[in-house]
Amino acid sequence: MKALTRLLFVNDRNEKFFGEGPYRLLRGVERSGSLRATALEMGMSYTKALKLITNAEKELGFKFTTRVVGGKSGGGSCLTDEGRAWLDKYEQYRDSCLKETERIYHEYYGE
């Protein structure tokens, strides 16, 4: 047996706007330089990926990525400094929550 903890950020209307999916998507963009390629890797449509990122940007009030429209040399995306800093903070917060959840689980269930 194990307990599963999910970390989600929600707005004032209790609508989720950020969690592991957008986090992984944005880290993929950081790695590959392409939202489209990362979305495909994750089995997600580009439209859905863009919607997830745009929604998170709207809720948080800053841009996660800068986008260059394709053309002769192709397009791409990269993280903004503010986006990268937010992802780093999210990662630290998530990891701290998971460690504390594990501690509490062992306290109650002793496994």
Side-chain angles (χ1 to χ4, degrees):
M1 175 175 75
K2 68 178 181 176
L4 177 64
T5 302
R6 297 175 123 203
L7 179 64
L8 296 173
F9 283 80
V10 298
N11 62 20
D12 293 337
R13 296 173 307 283
N14 213 32
E15 300 164 336
K16 69 179 182 177
F17 67 88
F18 198 88
E20 272 308 293
Y23 167 79
R24 288 183 19 236
L25 186 62
L26 288 162
R27 285 298 190 198
V29 169
E30 180 179 41
R31 185 187 71 254
S32 71
S34 171
L35 180 58
R36 184 176 305 280
T38 302
L40 287 173
E41 246 178 46
M42 293 177 66
M44 181 186 307
S45 73
Y46 173 76
T47 304
K48 180 176 180 177
L50 186 58
K51 183 178 177 181
L52 286 173
I53 301 308
T54 303
N55 187 45
E57 289 174 340
K58 184 183 101 189
E59 292 294 337
L60 292 168
F62 63 86
K63 295 287 187 188
F64 273 104
T65 63
T66 55
R67 299 172 193 88
V68 176
V69 177
K72 183 179 175 183
S73 60
S77 296
C78 63
L79 293 183
T80 62
D81 290 341
E82 193 170 16
R84 185 175 290 105
W86 204 90
L87 291 179
D88 290 345
K89 190 182 294 186
Y90 168 84
E91 190 174 296
Q92 292 168 1
Y93 177 66
R94 179 204 60 201
D95 292 350
S96 294
C97 288
L98 292 173
K99 281 181 186 175
E100 187 61 13
T101 298
E102 185 175 334
R103 184 195 66 75
I104 294 168
Y105 174 82
H106 290 296
E107 180 181 320
Y108 283 89
Y109 296 100
E111 294 181 18

